[in-house]
Amino acid sequence: MQYEFSIQVSPEIAVDPDRLKIVVSKKNGISVDEIRHIQVLKRSIDARQKAIKVNLKIKVFVQEDFEEIPIQLPDYPDVSNASEVVIIGAGPAGLFAALRCVELGYKPIVLERGKDVRERRRDLKAINRDHIVNEDSNYCFGEGGAGTYSDGKLYTRSKKRGDVNRILQLLVGFGATDQILVEAHPHIGTNKLPAIIAAIRQKIRAHGGEVHFETRVTDFSIKNDEIHSVSLHNGDSITTNKVILATGHSARDVFELLHKKKIEIEAKPFALGVRVEHSQQLIDQIQYKCEVRGPYLPPSPYSIVKQVDGRGMYSFCMCPGGVIAPCATSPGEVVTNGWSPSKRDQPTSNSGIVVELRLEDFKDFSKYGPLSGMYFQKSIEQKSWHLAGETQRVPAQRLADLTKGKVSVDLPETSYKPGLSSIDMGEVFPKFIHKTLQHGFKAFDKSMKGYLTNEAVVHAPESRTSSPVRIPRDRKTLEHTQIKGLYPCGEGAGYAGGIISAAIDGEKCAAACIKTIN
């Protein structure tokens, strides 16, 4: 017989199957000898009280053996000679759109401006060590998109958008640990994700799909408001009437191209701010309310939201045991982001702390029309580059100094490898963002006592939280509202916010696109 229970236990019991079996036996009146196996279905940590607990949803096998059923990938057909769908971008939206095309019997042709996951590493090394930005291969562009080398978080609040568990199971089928099906906030890790991404690409190619790297799309041919072909940077073109546009939130040249060709796009609110680094030990002490975390608890994350004078300020993409990375996509700008390895074993934690922006905040850039938010974003990145010394060094300030408007006399070494320049954040940001950050960090400290410390360092800017534009599409067909055969998809189009929601949107766009193929 099998029984499902929800149970709350201490961290040390949660990791010990024998002790867990005894607790389950006592709580449910089942003989220990009759319990053959306990399968953990879901796990989360409750750190609200001084005594930390782990919430478990479990399946108990009583007088019945447990047989583990491995997750199977779909039975993908050979699509070598099938009808074709062009997919621009090999991030999670593009790759999962391609997988869905293959599954449904259609041939995806994936065009990616950047390099494959292995070759990308050289360009990441160059930006970290030599301050050289490759516009087509960096932390944002290349196989797997921005998520490949930015942590691999799989948590999403977008449960209404689609089947989250299906995406998680596919990732397990391609090599992710099955623990992502269990944890409340699943995470793969930047060191593990590249192999999974490569396995997806290999599967697409093995079944007749195409994936082309270092292939940047430079133009669209449109006839009678219908997509006709795409032009490539090498002068080639591909004739097609089905294009899934999944280029990511940093593809500014694509946004410029759409606007130039009078293909409808819209300015979209987003958030922008800084990335703050603390010691992981301090965050553990604040969150777990103990001096030492101990061996049974993972490095603690945090999530915090405040309203400051009617404007939201919140943590974004928090990376326990992680590092800060340089994520510029063009020379003459600096951008920060964070990531963690699978073990989250670095001595520091970091999080984006961002301020809610509204369309009226972009009024000084109104001449750019729907690209006003993008140019606002770009102006702060370029100003930061200039202030920090015109390399990949970033403006930085000790946290308490920021709240006092005081330039930091010195800065400790942080995980950001290209280096720091001591700059007052009041020079980096418009006054309304700077004031919100100053007041907001004081409010943060009231919720997380000890957070506001001068041992923490603020790095600027954290600016690529989401796309500054939305590419409108029909709610039912997911086709562009103006251009037939064009399917705006994922984060870059304004319809996702992370690996899972982007993958879900990719699958949805592929299915919608295929419905219209005769």
Side-chain angles (χ1 to χ4, degrees):
M1 292 177 288
Q2 301 175 18
Y3 301 95
E4 285 193 13
F5 301 112
S6 292
I7 189 171
Q8 192 176 69
V9 297
S10 66
E12 52 266 36
I13 289 175
V15 299
D16 188 330
D18 293 331
R19 294 178 69 182
L20 180 60
K21 189 181 291 187
I22 292 170
V23 171
V24 170
S25 170
K26 289 180 178 178
K27 284 184 176 289
N28 297 283
I30 304 170
S31 170
V32 173
D33 295 335
E34 292 180 342
I35 298 176
R36 304 276 180 83
H37 182 77
I38 296 177
Q39 181 184 13
V40 178
L41 304 176
K42 291 292 178 183
R43 176 171 43 234
S44 64
I45 295 173
D46 186 348
R48 292 174 294 178
Q49 306 300 322
K50 188 170 184 180
I52 298 167
K53 298 293 183 181
V54 178
N55 298 317
L56 298 175
K57 182 180 179 182
I58 57 176
K59 182 181 286 188
V60 182
F61 290 77
V62 179
Q63 294 183 322
E64 180 181 331
D65 290 333
F66 168 71
E67 183 180 352
E68 187 170 4
I69 302 173
I71 289 176
Q72 299 289 332
L73 290 172
D75 187 14
Y76 295 111
D78 187 293
V79 297
S80 302
N81 299 311
S83 298
E84 297 174 347
V85 176
V86 170
I87 299 169
I88 305 176
L95 289 176
F96 276 82
L99 281 174
R100 188 66 172 146
C101 284
V102 175
E103 187 178 356
L104 295 175
Y106 291 81
K107 180 179 179 177
I109 300 177
V110 182
L111 309 176
E112 168 56 48
R113 69 192 298 162
K115 301 176 183 178
D116 67 43
V117 285
R118 177 174 292 183
E119 291 297 316
R120 275 179 85 178
R121 292 174 183 166
R122 297 179 184 179
D123 298 308
L124 302 187
K125 186 177 181 180
I127 192 172
N128 274 290
R129 186 187 64 187
D130 304 321
H131 303 251
I132 297 171
V133 181
N134 183 326
E135 293 185 80
D136 287 323
S137 179
N138 44 62
Y139 276 97
C140 291
F141 298 144
E143 187 178 20
T148 301
Y149 292 104
S150 348
D151 204 46
K153 288 184 185 67
L154 303 177
Y155 177 64
T156 179
R157 293 184 176 89
S158 306
K159 304 247 181 352
K160 293 182 180 179
R161 294 185 181 180
D163 189 347
V164 171
N165 205 53
R166 169 182 161 84
I167 302 300
L168 294 176
Q169 288 182 334
L170 284 170
L171 287 168
V172 172
F174 282 106
T177 170
D178 60 5
Q179 289 305 295
I180 66 173
L181 301 171
V182 174
E183 299 295 343
H185 294 82
H187 164 258
I188 291 177
T190 299
N191 55 322
K192 298 288 184 68
L193 198 53
I196 295 165
I197 296 299
I200 292 174
R201 174 236 305 160
Q202 290 160 7
K203 179 66 71 173
I204 292 167
R205 284 178 169 172
H207 289 269
E210 298 180 16
V211 182
H212 301 275
F213 297 113
E214 299 183 74
T215 305
R216 178 161 35 90
V217 172
T218 56
D219 202 0
F220 303 105
S221 174
I222 296 167
K223 296 181 179 180
N224 299 320
D225 288 336
E226 182 175 6
I227 201 84
H228 181 262
S229 68
V230 296
S231 300
L232 309 180
H233 74 288
N234 60 5
D236 292 343
S237 65
I238 299 174
T239 301
T240 179
N241 62 358
K242 300 296 175 190
V243 172
I244 295 175
L245 187 63
T247 52
H249 60 39
S250 293
R252 289 171 172 166
D253 57 332
V254 173
F255 302 150
E256 294 272 17
L257 174 63
L258 295 174
H259 185 46
K260 178 182 176 182
K261 298 188 75 68
K262 296 182 169 48
I263 298 174
E264 187 180 0
I265 57 175
E266 305 164 349
K268 180 179 77 63
F270 59 104
L272 181 147
V274 296
R275 187 154 284 268
V276 181
E277 182 170 277
H278 290 79
S279 76
Q280 183 60 52
Q281 184 179 18
L282 175 63
I283 298 301
D284 290 340
Q285 289 171 348
I286 294 172
Q287 294 296 84
Y288 290 144
K289 305 173 185 68
C290 60
E291 284 300 311
V292 179
R293 181 178 79 237
Y296 304 114
L297 288 169
S300 177
Y302 64 85
S303 176
I304 193 163
V305 180
K306 294 292 180 182
Q307 287 290 315
V308 182
D309 297 329
R311 193 182 289 269
M313 174 172 156
Y314 57 92
S315 57
F316 169 83
C317 185
M318 196 274 152
C319 301
V323 301
I324 302 177
C327 293
T329 52
S330 294
E333 66 187 27
V334 290
V335 180
T336 65
N337 196 1
W339 60 267
S340 302
S342 57
K343 292 183 180 179
R344 290 179 162 170
D345 55 0
Q346 299 300 301
T348 52
S349 73
N350 66 81
S351 180
I353 305 297
V354 294
V355 174
E356 169 195 13
L357 300 180
R358 303 162 184 154
L359 293 180
E360 56 263 33
D361 296 326
F362 312 143
K363 60 181 182 297
D364 289 346
F365 298 85
S366 59
K367 68 179 181 180
Y368 297 106
L371 303 182
S372 58
M374 187 186 86
Y375 275 91
F376 174 89
Q377 178 190 61
K378 188 175 182 179
S379 71
I380 290 176
E381 295 169 1
Q382 291 176 334
K383 182 192 289 185
S384 298
W385 175 79
H386 176 71
L387 289 169
E390 300 187 350
T391 66
Q392 282 303 298
R393 297 171 70 90
V394 292
Q397 192 171 14
R398 290 180 182 266
L399 181 54
D401 287 346
L402 183 152
T403 63
K404 299 171 184 176
K406 175 184 175 184
V407 176
S408 298
V409 174
D410 59 8
L411 294 168
E413 183 178 349
T414 71
S415 65
Y416 184 81
K417 294 302 182 186
L420 313 176
S421 295
S422 183
I423 304 291
D424 183 351
M425 292 298 154
E427 294 187 58
V428 175
F429 297 106
K431 186 175 181 179
F432 77 93
I433 293 179
H434 184 230
K435 290 296 183 184
T436 301
L437 289 170
Q438 287 183 309
H439 296 155
F441 280 123
K442 293 175 183 177
F444 276 27
D445 195 60
K446 292 179 181 178
S447 297
M448 294 178 62
K449 199 63 181 173
Y451 184 94
L452 180 52
T453 169
N454 236 18
E455 296 307 304
V457 180
V458 175
H459 306 61
E462 167 76 46
S463 50
R464 307 286 178 93
T465 57
S466 66
S467 179
V469 307
R470 178 174 287 108
I471 307 173
R473 68 187 189 190
D474 184 273
R475 287 191 175 188
K476 291 184 178 180
T477 66
L478 306 188
E479 200 169 34
H480 190 276
T481 51
Q482 175 192 1
I483 306 300
K484 188 176 180 182
L486 180 64
Y487 293 82
C489 180
E491 281 203 48
Y495 299 101
I499 292 172
I500 295 297
S501 58
I504 288 172
D505 202 55
E507 287 209 325
K508 287 168 58 177
C509 285
C513 175
I514 285 167
K515 275 185 182 179
T516 64
I517 297 177
N518 294 325

